[in-house]
Amino acid sequence: MSSSHLHIPRWVATLAVLTAVIVGGVLAIGLKDWTGRDVFGAPKLAVTLARDPAPVPLGNFTNGFASVLKPALPAVVNIHSSKVVKTRQQMMPFFNDPMFQQFFGQQFGPEEPQSQREQSLGSGVIITSDGTIVTNNHVIDGATDIKVDLPDRREFKAKVIGTDAKTDIAVLKIDATNLPTLTLGDSSRLKVGDVVFAIGDPFAVGETATMGIVSATGVGGKLGIENYEDFIQTDAAINPGNSGGAMIDLHGDLIGINTAILTGGGGGNQGIGFAIPINMAKSVMDQIVSHGKVVRGYLGLLPQDVSPTLAKQFNVNHPGGALVGQVEPDTPAAKAGLKRGDVILSLNGQPVNSANDLRLRISQTAPGTTVKLGVSRDGKMQDFNVTLGELPEKVAQEGGTNESGPGGLQGVQVQNLTPDIAQQLQLAPGTKGVVVTSVDPSSPADSELNRGDVIQEVNHKPIANLEQYRQAIAAAGNQPVLLLVNRGGGTQYVVIEPH
C-alpha cells in the first residue's frame, strides 16, 4: 500500500499567507467605514439600530404610507394595568352642622375609606424579540397587575424590570419569543418639518396610526411634565391611551416614545403632542436593564435661564447660558470653586443654551467624570474643571426611599430635597427639608400629606436632610407628630396621629 504527498513550494505558501492578510485588512477597514464606528461589543439591549439612513423622497409614496406602517404596527402593543386605591365618601353638608350632630351624634360621620380598583390604559413598544417592552412610567405607575395585548390578540402578564419617573420611562418584560420589533433610529438627526407617525391605542379603540410633522425639538424645562425634558413636539394626533406608543419616521425607525399632550382645557388633542427622544429613552433603558436604576451626574447647584435683563446685570454678552442661583455646600460645584452669580456658558467646549440644557447634559454624564465648564464671572471668562458626583437621591422605583416612618408616618416615602426638585416645586432658594414622594392610601398621613409636600420640621425640630428626618420620627415613635409642611411655597402645620 503506497501513499502520496502534496508538495507546495515555500514561495507559493508565503504568497498565499500575505494575500490573506492583505485581503483581511481591506475587509476590516471597509467594515469600519460601512458601520461608521468602531465596534467594542454588543449594546446592553439586543436592539436593532438604524445605520445612517438616506433621505426618503416623498414621491416614492404614490399610494400613501402603508409600506412604512405595515411592518411597524405589530411591534406596538396595548398595555392595561390596575391598582387598588382607597377613597373617602363625601358627606352631605348638613351632616356637618353642629345642630344636626347635637341630636344625632357622629353616626352620620365620615365613613371609613373604601377600596376600589382603578384601571389604566396605554401603549408600549417591543424593542427586543424576547419580550422587552418600553412604555411610559405613568402608564404603569403603582400598578399591581399589568397585562400586555399584542396585535395578534395574544395576552401576556408583564413584570416591571425598572422605571425612571424623572424621564417617565418604564421597561417591562413578557415571556415570549420571536416577537416583532422596531429598529431604533437617531433622534438627534430630526429636523423641524420631518414627517412622523404616532402609533398607539387611543381611548382603547384599537391600534391607530396618525401622521404629522416634527413641530419642534429640544422642547422642555418649563412644561412641568417631567424632571428631565427634551421633547420632540409634533402635530400628529396623540390622545389618551397613546402614552408609551411609538413615534416613527419615514424609514419606520423608532425615534420617540409618545408621552403627553397640551389640551388647552379641552381634554383632547390640540395639535401639540410630545414624545421622549429615543436617544434619551435608550440611555435610560440601558441603565435600567444593567443596573436596575438610572445613575445621573450631579453638580450641586441651582441653575436658571439668563434673560436679557439678567445678562446685562451680570455683564454677559453671549446668548443662552445658565445662571447659578445657588451652590449647595460640600458638592462638586462648591469644591470646584463655583459661586452664586456665575454664568455657565459652555460645557466641554460646547455652548450651554439654557438651564434645562445644562441639567440634561450633566444628568446624562456618568458620576466621576471631570467636565470643563466655561464660566463668566463679573464679566470675565474662567474655566472650571468639575468632577461630577452622583445625584444623591437614593430612590426606589417610584422615586422614594425604601423605608417608611413609624406610627402615623407609616407608608410615607420621602427623599432629600435637592436644588433640581426645589426648582420643580417652585420653592424659594435655600429651602430645606425632605420631599414627600408618595403616600400609601392606607397610611394615617394620607389625608394630610400630598406628593410634593416638603417636611421642614418634625415636632418643632428643623429638618435639613433624610438623616435628620429619620432621627426625628424615630424619637416620636407611635405618638402624634407635629409637622411643618411647605406646600407650594407656603408653610402650614399638620398633626399626624397613628391609627
Side-chain angles (χ1 to χ4, degrees):
M1 183 174 183
S2 63
S3 62
S4 61
H5 298 277
L6 178 64
H7 295 280
I8 301 175
R10 180 175 298 177
W11 68 270
V12 174
T14 303
L15 180 61
V17 171
L18 289 175
T19 301
V21 171
I22 293 171
V23 170
V26 170
L27 287 175
I29 294 172
L31 180 61
K32 178 179 176 180
D33 289 340
W34 175 66
T35 61
R37 68 193 72 183
D38 290 313
V39 179
F40 294 99
K44 296 181 177 65
L45 289 170
V47 297
T48 304
L49 303 177
R51 300 278 187 182
D52 297 334
V56 178
L58 291 179
N60 291 353
F61 302 101
T62 54
N63 294 317
F65 300 97
S67 60
V68 178
L69 291 167
K70 184 178 180 179
L73 290 172
V76 182
V77 301
N78 169 267
I79 297 174
H80 47 106
S81 61
S82 63
K83 61 183 176 181
V84 176
V85 298
K86 292 189 177 182
T87 60
R88 290 177 171 80
Q89 299 291 331
Q90 296 292 327
M91 284 194 306
M92 297 182 67
F94 63 84
F95 285 161
N96 285 322
D97 186 274
M99 185 66 69
F100 182 91
Q101 293 189 2
Q102 179 179 348
F103 288 98
F104 295 98
Q106 297 295 325
Q107 60 178 309
F108 293 98
E111 296 184 13
E112 288 296 315
Q114 302 295 312
S115 295
Q116 67 180 38
R117 184 169 290 275
E118 282 189 355
Q119 305 290 332
S120 176
L121 290 172
S123 304
V125 184
I126 305 172
I127 58 170
T128 66
S129 61
D130 62 351
T132 304
I133 295 171
V134 62
T135 184
N136 285 140
N137 177 64
H138 74 260
V139 170
I140 54 89
D141 186 29
T144 55
D145 183 57
I146 304 171
K147 292 183 179 179
V148 172
D149 291 334
L150 303 187
D152 62 10
R153 300 185 182 277
R154 286 185 293 168
E155 182 179 87
F156 295 87
K157 187 172 182 178
K159 67 176 181 178
V160 178
I161 300 299
T163 65
D164 181 50
K166 296 183 184 306
T167 54
D168 200 13
I169 289 291
V171 180
L172 311 179
K173 187 72 168 61
I174 61 175
D175 187 12
T177 57
N178 299 319
L179 296 176
T181 64
L182 285 180
T183 298
L184 304 193
D186 183 358
S187 53
S188 69
R189 298 168 62 91
L190 286 176
K191 297 180 177 63
V192 173
D194 285 352
V195 175
V196 293
F197 305 90
I199 307 174
D201 187 5
F203 300 109
V205 300
E207 192 167 53
T208 302
T210 57
M211 185 182 79
I213 64 169
V214 174
S215 304
T217 59
V219 179
K222 298 179 181 178
L223 296 175
I225 300 172
E226 299 169 6
N227 294 83
Y228 296 98
E229 299 177 337
D230 186 27
F231 291 120
I232 303 164
Q233 182 181 326
T234 182
D235 63 348
I238 296 175
N239 285 293
N242 272 123
S243 291
M247 175 179 283
I248 65 173
D249 60 16
L250 282 173
H251 296 276
D253 296 337
L254 181 66
I255 46 88
I257 303 298
N258 302 326
T259 297
I261 57 174
L262 290 185
T263 64
N269 173 62
Q270 299 291 320
I272 302 178
F274 301 102
I276 301 168
I278 195 60
N279 291 11
M280 174 186 283
K282 183 179 184 301
S283 173
V284 171
M285 288 188 293
D286 282 342
Q287 291 203 56
I288 288 175
V289 171
S290 298
H291 310 298
K293 64 176 184 177
V294 179
V295 179
R296 294 184 167 90
Y298 175 63
L299 273 176
L301 53 79
L302 180 64
Q304 64 185 88
D305 289 337
V306 182
S307 66
T309 302
L310 287 172
K312 291 180 181 178
Q313 294 292 326
F314 289 91
N315 299 317
V316 176
N317 297 321
H318 299 75
L323 173 63
V324 178
Q326 178 180 331
V327 177
E328 292 293 306
D330 198 33
T331 60
K335 293 175 181 177
L338 290 168
K339 298 180 180 179
R340 184 170 57 194
D342 287 344
V343 180
I344 301 173
L345 297 174
S346 67
L347 170 60
N348 290 334
Q350 298 299 315
V352 171
N353 299 316
S354 64
N356 186 56
D357 181 31
L358 178 66
R359 279 194 297 269
L360 283 172
R361 289 161 63 182
I362 291 297
S363 72
Q364 295 170 9
T365 305
T369 303
T370 298
V371 298
K372 182 179 180 181
L373 300 179
V375 173
S376 174
R377 176 178 292 176
D378 299 325
K380 298 178 180 179
M381 288 300 300
Q382 300 183 39
D383 289 333
F384 290 84
N385 292 318
V386 186
T387 301
L388 300 181
E390 180 180 339
L391 192 66
E393 301 144 82
K394 307 302 181 184
V395 296
Q397 288 185 351
E398 296 183 20
T401 63
N402 283 322
E403 60 184 4
S404 61
L409 291 171
Q410 185 175 5
V412 177
Q413 305 282 341
V414 299
Q415 68 181 58
N416 282 320
L417 179 66
T418 66
D420 276 345
I421 296 174
Q423 185 179 38
Q424 292 293 327
L425 296 176
Q426 299 181 345
L427 301 178
T431 301
K432 302 292 185 181
V434 293
V435 63
V436 176
T437 58
S438 68
V439 183
D440 191 298
S442 64
S443 170
D446 181 50
S447 61
E448 299 292 346
L449 292 177
N450 300 322
R451 187 171 185 264
D453 285 348
V454 176
I455 300 173
Q456 295 188 283
E457 289 182 8
V458 176
N459 289 337
H460 298 293
K461 293 182 179 179
I463 300 299
N465 52 50
L466 195 56
E467 184 59 30
Q468 292 180 4
Y469 171 80
R470 291 194 189 105
Q471 293 174 358
I473 61 173
N478 290 319
Q479 300 301 312
V481 180
L482 176 67
L483 303 179
L484 178 65
V485 175
N486 188 320
R487 181 174 296 164
T491 56
Q492 62 185 81
Y493 286 101
V494 299
V495 176
I496 310 296
E497 297 193 29
H499 286 323

